[in-house]
Each structure stands twice: as C-alpha cells, then as structure tokens.
Amino acid sequence: MKNLKLYSEVSLNLELPSKEETLLFSALDIERNRLFFASSANKIYSSQLSSFQNEGVPAKTSISAEVDQVDLDAGDFITSFDYLMEKEALIVGTSDGLLQLHSMDSNSTEVVGKVEGGVKCISPSPDGDLLAVISGFGQILVMTHDWDLLYENPLEDLPEGVDVCETDFSSTNTSESPISWRGDGKYFATLSNSSSSTSLHKSLKVWERDSGTLQASSEPQVFMGAVLEWMPSGAKIAAVYDRKVENKCPSIVFFERNGLERSSFSINEQIDATVEILKWNCSSDLLAAVIRCGNYDFVKIWFFSNNHWYLKHEVRYLRQAGVRFMWHPTKPLQLICWTLDGQITICDFIWTTAVMENSIALVIDGSKILVTPLSLSLIPPPMCLFSLTFPSAVCEMAFYTNSSKNCLAASLSDGCLCVVELPSSDMWEEMDGKEFCVEASISDIAFGSFIHLIWLDSHILLSISPNGFRHCSSSFQAASSEGALHGFYIQEITLECSENQAPGLITCSGWHAKISYQNSLEGFVIGIAPNPAKRCSAFVQFDGGKIVEYTSKVGLTRDTVKHDDINFSSSCPWMSAVLVGSDGPLKPLLFGLDDVGRLQASGKIICYNCSSFSFYSKLGDQVISHLILATKQDLLFIVDISHILCGELELKYENFMHVANRRKEEESISFINIWERGAKIVGVLHGDEAAVILQTTRGNLECIYPRKLVLSSIVNALIQCRFRDALVMVRRHRIDFNVIVDHCGWQEFLQSASEFVKQVKNLSHITDFVCAIKKENIIQTLYKKFEFLSVQCHEESKDVQANFRDSDANKVSSVLLAIRKALEEQVPESPARELCILTTLARSDPPALEEALERIKVIRETELLGSNDPRRASYPSAEEALKHLLWLSDPGAVYEAALGLYDLNLAAIVALNSQRDPKEFLPFLQGLERMPALLMRYNIDLSLHRFENALKHLVSLGDAYYADSLNLMKKYPQLFPLGLQLITNPVKRGQVLEVWADHLSDEKCFEDAATTYLCCTSLEKAMKAYRACGNWSGVLTVAGLLKLGKEEVVQLAHELCEEFQALGKPGEAAKIALEYCQDVNSGINLLISARDWEEALRVAFMHTREDLISEVKNASLDCANTMICEYKEGLEKVGKYLARYLAVRQRRLLLAAKLQAEDRTVHDLDDDTASETSSAVSGMSVYTTGTRKGSAASTTSTAASRARDARRQRNRGKIRPGSPGEELALVDHLMGMSLTDGAKNELRSLLVSLVMLGEEETARKLQCTAENFQLSQMAAHKLAEDTVSSDIVNEQAHNLERYIKLVRSELKSSEAFSWQSKVFRSP
C-alpha cells in the first residue's frame, strides 16, 4: 500500500571529446564516493558523486571529470570493467585478454595477467577475496586478489573431442556471458548455451565458490540475451525468458539455488521488446530493468508484495541514447542512469503511502491506479474496488477531495498529464470490479515529467519540474541545447473539462490543460504541500529544510514566512501541512520526516526514531486532532496535537522511547506494541471510525483501533449529543457503557436521557446500556489515565451537579429512573418496552423489585380477567416478564420481594419459576394462608427481617400479643423507639422503658440506662447505673430524690470516696471528702496525690491549718526535686538515643549504597524484581548479612508475614538493637518523650505553688531543667525527621547543638512553652 516517488533528479553531462566516443561500462568506489566510466576510446573518466549534490547543481549542466587513457595495442579494446576496493584500483579486461590494474590517483596501469581468447566478463566476489573471469573460449577462471588461479572450468558442457582452443567452436559463443554472485559470495551463477539443445536454449548454472563445483543446473530454456542477476539476499536468481515463439512478450523468471524455476511475471510490453539489463537494489526489494521497445528504452522498477509484481516507476529514454543504469551499493533507493553520449542522471526515490487524507488508497501499478476506499473495505492490493487505466505508466499523481467531488491528476512516463474526476465516495460501491480508461488531457505542449505535483484548487495544479535534460521524447532532448534553462521550475496548470459531468459517473476524458504561470527556481525543491488554511496556496521546501510560501498567480512570497519556527533543520522528503487549532484560530502546522527518522514540527524535532506517521481528525474534517506516529522500535504512539502546540511531548511521551520498567497498564495507554516487525502506518480512518491502518512487510493490511482514538471519538460524539453514534462505538469497541453517563457527570446526563432514548430507539441496545450502569465514575477509575476525558462541563451542568451533591441522589437509581421515564414518554407501548422498563427496575440500586412485581401483577390480573383489551398485545405475558426479571435479579431476592407484597399466589409463581423445591415453600405458604391477615403479614415481615413492619402488625393485633411485642423488642433493641410510639398505654410504656433501660445496663451503657430509669421513675436502678458509670454527682443527686437521711448520705459519700481512690482518681475523691464528708485532712492528702498543688494550698489556707500548709510545702518540694532529677535523666537519654539513631542511619545508608552498586540496578530489573529488591533493602538492619534472595524469599509466606506483624504490634515501644525496625523505633521513642498536656499543667501548677510558698530558687531550677529537656527533645526529634527522609547525613549540619539553637529561636514563643513562667525564663 505504498508508491515509489521520485523526489530528486539530478542530470549532468559528461563532456566527451568526440561524438563517436560512447560510454560502455561504469563502476563505483563507495569509500571515496567516486564514479568511473570506461569509453569506447579506451578512456576512463572519474568524477566525484558529490558533484551531483544539490548545492549549486541547477546552475551547471556538465560534470567535471578526470580522464585517463588506457594504453592498448591497436585493435584491442575494453570488454569489461570494475572497481576493486581492496586494491583501490580499477580492474580492466580487454579483447586481447589483458587484465590490467589501473589507478586513477597515479594514472598508472599494471598488467596483472593475460587470458587466452580474450576477456568477456569480470566479476569480483562481494567480499573482494576472489575474482571471476570468463574468457573468450568459454572458460571460467577464478583467482584470488593476489592473482593466483584457484581453478578453471568450462562454462559449457562441451561434446567429446572438442577443444576449448578451437576457434570454430568459440566463434559461436559471441554473446556476453554474465556472472552473478550471491550476496554472501558463497555461490555464483552463470548463463551459458546448452550443448544438448539448439543454440537458442541456455542453461542457468550455479557454482560453488571455493572448489568450482557445479552445484545445480536448470533445464535448457530460451533465455533472452545474457541477463542474469542474483538477489543480494540470496533468495532468488532473476533471468529473462524470450517468448516470441509463444507470441508473447518476455517474462522475468526467478530461480532457486537448486536451479528450479520458482515464479515469473510478464513485463507487459510488445512482443518484440527485449530486456537489456536487470539489477536488484542492495536491499533486494526493488528490481530494475532496461526494456528496449520501439523507439524507446524504458527503465522500469518493480516491487513485490502480496505475491504480485507492481511496476512502480518508469523512465523513458530515446532508443539511440542507449541508457544503462546501476543501483547505489549502499543506498537502496538511489538509481544512477547514464547514456552512451555521457548524460548521467542520479534519481533518488522515497516510499510514500498510497492512502490519501480521506482514506482512499491509490496504488500505482504501471499504467494502472488501483482505487480502494478503505473506509468501505480493507482490500489489500493487488485487489481493489475499481481501477483506472492510463495510456502509459504513471510516474506521479495528486489527489484532491472536498465534500462534493474527488479529483485525481497523474503524470505519465510519456510526458502527458491525465485528469480524472470521481463522484463522491458514497457512490463508489456501484463501480465495484470495473476498469475505466483515462485519456490524456489536451494541451498545446507536452508537460514532461513532474518531480512534485499537488492540487491548489479543484481546477488548478501546482508542479515542480526539472529543466534541461529530458529523456522521454525528442522535443525534450532539444532542451539540452545551448542557452536552455537548467535546474527546476514551478508552474501552475489550469484545468477545464469540455464534457458534461454526469453525477455519479467518472469523468476521464475531455480535459484541457494549459500553463497559467511558470517561473524558475534557484535551488532544489525537496517537497511541496498545499496550505490548508489558505486557498490556492502551498508551502515549498527547498534543500536544507527552508520553507517558502507560494501563492497562486503571485509566486513565491519569501517575505511572508519570516519566522524560523516554520523551517526544518534538515531536508524532509516526507512533508505534510495540516490544519490545527486548539481553543484558538485555525492555523497550518508543517510536519516533516527526514531520511534518518527525525520528525519535525514547528521548527523543533519531536521524535528522533520515527519510521512513519499520519494524522487523525476526530471531526472527520480537515482539522487535525492527533498525530499517529510509529517508531523504529515498532511502537505506535497516539499524540495529541495540543501537546505538540504546548510543548509537553517530553513530559507526556518520554521522547517516544520504551521504558523497561514501566508498568503494563501505563504502556497500554502511552503506546501500542506493533506485533509485526517493520510494519508501517499507511492510513487512518477519521471521525467515528477512529482506526489506524498498518501494512506489514508481507503486504497484508491490519486495521487497529487505538483506545485513545476510540475514546476521543466517543467523547466527541457525546459533546455533539450524537448518542446513537456514541452507543454504536461503545458496543463495537467494548468500551464501558458508563462513559456515556460519566463523561460530563451523570447529573448532566439526566437532562439528556430523553434525547438518548429518542436517538437510540433500539430497545435491545438500551437494555444492554441499562445493565452496564454501575456506581463508580469510570472517568476517575478505569479511564483515569486519559486526561482528555475529563472535559470541562458548562456552568449549567456544574449547577446541576451541585444541586444533586446536596441531595441523597444515587447515580444508578437516578439514571435508570430517567431512562424509565424517557421510555414511557418516547417509545410506544410494546412487549420489548415493558421488558426494558423491568430491566431498569431490576438494575436500580437497590433493586426496585417490588415495583417490578407490581407491574407483573397487573399484567397477570389482566390475563386472568380474559378481557379483549387491545392493549394486551402491547405487553408481554406475565410468565415472560417474570422470567425476564428472574434472569436479571437474584431469584431469592425476587421471591422475598413477592412475599413482601403479601401476595401468596405471586410468591408461589415466583418460587415455581425460580426452580425452588415445592416441598420447601408450599407448606410455608399454606401455613401463612391459614393465618389471619395481620398475623400473616407479621410472620412474613419477620421472615424477611422487616422488624419494624412486624412490630407494627403485632401491636395492631391488640393486647393479646403485647407480650410477643415486648419479646420482639427485647430481641431486636432497635425497635424500642418505635414501640414507644406505637404503645400509648402509660403502664405499658413504663414497662417498655424499664425493659429498655435493663437492656442498656446489660450493654454497659450506664449513663443512658440511668436516664431511661429516671423516665420510668425507677430511682434505685438509676442510682446503681450512675454508680456503675462513676458519676458520683448523679448518685448523690438521686439519693436526694430518694429522700435518704444525712447519715446514709455521709455513709454513701465515704463509700464513693474509697471507690474513686481505689480507681486512681484522687482528685474526684478529694472533692467528695471535702464537700460531703467534711474531712479536710483526707481531702488535702488526696489533692497532694492528684498533684493539684494550687487547690491543695488554697484549701489549707482556707482552713488556716499550718500543719496542712507545711505538709503541702514539703510535698511540693519533694515533687520538684524528683522532677528535676527525672528531667536531667531524660536529657541524657535524649542524647544517647539520638547518637544511636545517627549511627544506625549512617550504616544503613552505606549498606544501601553498596547494594545499589552491584551488577544490576533497580532500573534494569522488571517491576516484580525491583519491588522485591526494595523490600529487601528496607528490611535489612545494619548488622544483616543475608542476601537479597533470602530476604525476598521470606516475603512469600503470607501467614509468616501476618505473624511478624502481630509480633511487631506486641513489641511496639521496645528498641531491639540491630533489628530492622530499630531506626524507626528510635524516632518514635524520641517523639514519645515529649511533654504531655498533663505534664505541662502539673509543671505550671507546681511552679505557682512553689512561688507562693517562697521557694523561688527551686521553681527557677525546675523550670530551667524542664526547659532544657523540652528543647533537647524537640531538637532531637526534628533532626531525626530531617534525616530519615534524606540519603545524606552531614555531621556538621545534623548535630544536636545546632538544632537546639534552631528550635529555641523558632519555637520559644510558641504554645509548646506556654507552661513556663516569664519571670523564670532564661535570657
């Protein structure tokens, strides 16, 4: 699915001294880039290939060459000629049998041997080690590069008694005998007359290189001339059959190494045509030949694909020119042609895709163009929808399309221009299998060949043509006369059609063409592309990548393109101009691909390893939304044009290189692995098709649908409210249906549900959609990597979302409710509609099974009545509807829903259709049927765990079932609030409250139990509940309600005081002792135990008890001294823990660096191995000697992992030296040593009390010690936090003294130090 395009043609003339002298042979020195020619005058011409480079060539017509004369005897002449790279000299064979080594550098000739009978052919082996020579006597001589003869064999099978030296025999062998080597040089092939047949028959022979053994020989056939060429890859040997006897034109035939014929194809010329030369290019994919027919010599180039040989290009020369050619040995697409009179032409070709922008494939095959619209069918060539036949071979073509017409222009090898107008592509199916003959356009002059050809408008062509040497007719040969213009010229061709154009038919005749504008160009043109943003305008690329804009009738407007960002950094043979626009005005964007794989756009190189590219438009118009890019590593990238415009390529696509440790889910989003090596992008299907067409090296076409393009086209359809198209794409590509709902929020979809149903209409598709709706937002989960799906909703939709966010709306239920309403409004009644409605009910969240059963119940009742209502035909049968509901839902849930309707008959039908055992459900239903209605409903609700309804029905049964109601509430305590509402009798309400309070007491909810007991005036139980929860004020308050005596209250207070003291709540006990027991001594002691120093001092002064004041003073001094010692000890611990942490951290970093420097880094491993390695490093202690293998293996046991986690939980707080968790344990311990809020309050209270008691120095010493401890602890913790996330531990930066100063300056005035007294603060 590709065409061979001639994008550069350079012709120069080698000036020969006389007209009688002609060029006979050529050779090439690829190391020094020199081209050699041997002439009939025994002269050797040498020229540099750099002379043909683009710079300056258009201004000159001749090529400079060095000329050496080969000294030969009179009558002797050159018969063969080649270049020996090892000798850096030319090997020349003559008719007298001389073998000469000629050096152009020193202009010296050395005779290295002489062959009897003369030299007919010289052929060096591909590796240069051997040289094969065919003599005039028909002998094959193979010698080394030192001219030592290895062996000599006869070329032909000679009859007995015939001597090779007999001139009579040798005189019959006058034709040239070729030698062709296999690419590896192990074998060579020859073509010689067959002794067992007539002189017209020849045999192909294959010889072994080292020994000269004949390996194989073909059957005698009528071969044409001495044309023989072995494919460099070694697969085929090409030769030519002469088929004049069969009244057919010659055929090119291919042989295997064993001499068997493999395949062949006809050259499709006249019967008298002859094949003069046949050569493969160095990559073995192109076969070129010189065909002599009539007055012309043709250089034809074939390409093989899909078991068919395509004629991809043809160059026509006059017969007397005697054209010859050679392929460049290392450049597979460079052809060097030369004529007898010294015209040398270097042609550079490129492969271009045969698929146009609108997905129409136009494949050139000789004089035919095979036409296939890929949007209709993927037909690989040589098959096609229809074909166009032209008068001669097609060399260049251009295609134009718009909404109403399609136009094709073709430049032919005979210099003619043909134009075809095709109908719109939707009418092409009628042309299936047809062949249309196209006539050449009528013009006053012959156009010659075009290097580049494009359409500017529907009736204007723009072409680039070479001046000077032309070779297709005598009129162009005259152009080479003196004073002619050389180089390139640009011309506009205006087209008109004299025939009436019938709609739906092809117009392939009656076209008139004339040149309306023509101008010469100063440099080489690499390519041209139409400007999509400006009518009748184009971009012209000159050599080096310079871009100039061309405007119709005006010419090249160099001043309009002032910015360098439109130029390419190098020549780009593949160039395209596309229309882009993201949120702004539309503008053209130029893309170019050079021959080394650099893809350029906007003056920047966006990819360095591109093999092919194309463009995709999600709207199906000319505005491009995505770049499709294939790399040389066989990766396919889908690139947003917006990312190119915003310069985000490196961030998004990582230079289009495969990252080895990238996860699989990320790979599938950023690129696609092309499954067959060497496959190329040939085209794209735009719009809703969203397909990329690849062609493999074998020739078959593959159509893929990248998920990114598919989702983009779906979202585009949804934005345009084309719900039917979006649903079709979702179904075809197996995309989650929730995309339709979630792309702009399900709240917004509710507004469009009616339109959705109206467009889709197909109830089966709507049913599939309904069944796929789920809670999650797949835009944020399944497709979260596709950023373009998160479209910005309109302000109205945002308001809608805000309204639903404030409510308790459910996505599934809301969407299905909207679909259900739309079905009822938009779709006429039918059985399918009813089933679809049942689907929306069954798939709701939670399923609305009762409503669905109600609808089925109505259908069933209508059937039982047996009425002739015409609406019955609009509904399915009850059995069908029920089976549909059971298929969608859990049969058990449907059965329970039927029971919940209290319809036993319906429940029995559901049970039968859900394949339940009648022995199980019939007795149960029969038992229910015999019960009273309310009791039946109670039992049904109880079995369905609908306890509230069950309680309502039970209470409605009256007082006889009061005990059952009370038991039901005891069993299900959540029913107590409802029971209190239903039961109005005060006595029974009190009983319910007491039972509820007993339940709360059993559940240890003593506060609520006490309150509930108070509601039913059960004061004794209320007091017990308060006492159980430790609410001594509530106990004493209820004691007052019970009217207890003073002594009983005091006794109760003493008991409470002892209880709180035992529970470790001396502060509470002190309040009871002081307020109810009037025991000052015990109260003061309890306050001292609670370390409430200020309150203890207050009470002692209140009672003016000096003994108590002294007791408080002594206790506070003892406490202060103890705390000073503790803080000093804590200060030492902080230093030790921090030093240990820093040592452990440094050793761990050294160990991690050592592991990282091993033979494999984490980046070279796959994801699983990298994860295991990371786990192994994090699990090692600084004393670990185990390997990563052992550590990784230890993670394989899930049970063992759980056991270790449990042990870590039990041992939390312990620091085990050398353990893997020591580092974090030390950090946690340092953090746990901080002052708590209780400790700060106690410090503040103690400092105030000490000052009140006159112990200022003690208070100052206590605050100073506590402050030093707190500063050290906070500094150590901050230091540990800074280093735990760092890979470097700097002893100068990470030390405690520096962090203490830092904390003191930053946090000294913070809330953490609010416990201090300002009068004691250090300066």
Side-chain angles (χ1 to χ4, degrees), residues 624-654:
I624 300 303
S625 58
H626 293 84
L627 166 68
I628 316 299
L629 165 65
T631 68
K632 295 178 181 178
Q633 290 76 30
D634 296 314
L635 303 176
L636 183 71
F637 288 86
I638 311 298
V639 184
D640 292 270
I641 291 294
S642 59
H643 293 160
I644 299 176
L645 299 177
C646 300
E648 300 177 353
L649 290 178
E650 185 175 354
L651 177 64
K652 300 287 185 181
Y653 304 95
E654 299 182 355

Side-chain angles (χ1 to χ4, degrees), residues 383-431:
M383 296 181 291
C384 61
L385 184 68
F386 64 93
S387 63
L388 302 173
T389 303
F390 296 85
S392 62
V394 178
C395 294
E396 178 69 4
M397 68 175 181
F399 189 74
Y400 174 82
T401 182
N402 60 18
S403 58
S404 60
K405 65 171 63 177
N406 299 289
C407 297
L408 173 67
S411 170
L412 308 184
S413 63
D414 61 359
C416 294
L417 177 67
C418 293
V419 181
V420 183
E421 184 170 324
L422 304 171
S424 57
S425 55
D426 55 357
M427 305 176 67
W428 285 16
E429 292 185 8
E430 301 174 1
M431 299 185 287

Side-chain angles (χ1 to χ4, degrees), residues 198 200-202 219-224 240-243 245:
T198 64
L200 295 177
H201 287 72
K202 299 179 181 180
E219 293 292 330
Q221 297 288 347
V222 183
F223 287 93
M224 176 172 285
V240 181
Y241 278 167
D242 188 347
R243 306 179 66 185
V245 178

Side-chain angles (χ1 to χ4, degrees), residues 357 579 586 616-625 686-687 720:
E357 290 80 1
L579 198 62
L586 299 179
Y616 168 76
S617 172
K618 64 182 179 182
L619 299 176
D621 56 6
Q622 290 186 342
V623 182
I624 300 303
S625 58
H686 300 278
Q720 298 175 350

Side-chain angles (χ1 to χ4, degrees), residues 44 68-72 90 92 99-104 106-112:
I44 297 178
D68 285 355
Q69 180 70 47
V70 180
D71 294 330
L72 297 177
L90 293 162
V92 179
L99 286 177
Q100 296 182 342
L101 201 61
H102 182 83
S103 174
M104 292 294 295
S106 60
N107 191 17
S108 61
T109 302
E110 177 188 357
V111 178
V112 296

Side-chain angles (χ1 to χ4, degrees), residues 1089-1106:
S1089 299
R1091 296 194 174 187
D1092 192 354
W1093 305 106
E1094 290 179 272
E1095 181 65 15
L1097 198 59
R1098 183 190 69 80
V1099 173
F1101 277 109
M1102 183 180 69
H1103 291 282
T1104 62
R1105 296 276 300 273
E1106 292 295 333

Side-chain angles (χ1 to χ4, degrees), residues 828-866:
E829 291 182 345
S830 66
R833 189 196 80 161
E834 185 64 22
L835 294 178
C836 191
I837 291 175
L838 289 177
T839 305
T840 63
L841 294 170
R843 289 295 181 179
S844 295
D845 185 25
L849 297 178
E850 293 186 357
E851 185 178 347
L853 288 170
E854 289 284 1
R855 299 181 74 95
I856 295 174
K857 186 177 179 180
V858 171
I859 297 173
R860 177 172 167 270
E861 290 174 352
T862 305
E863 291 177 350
L864 292 176
L865 291 175

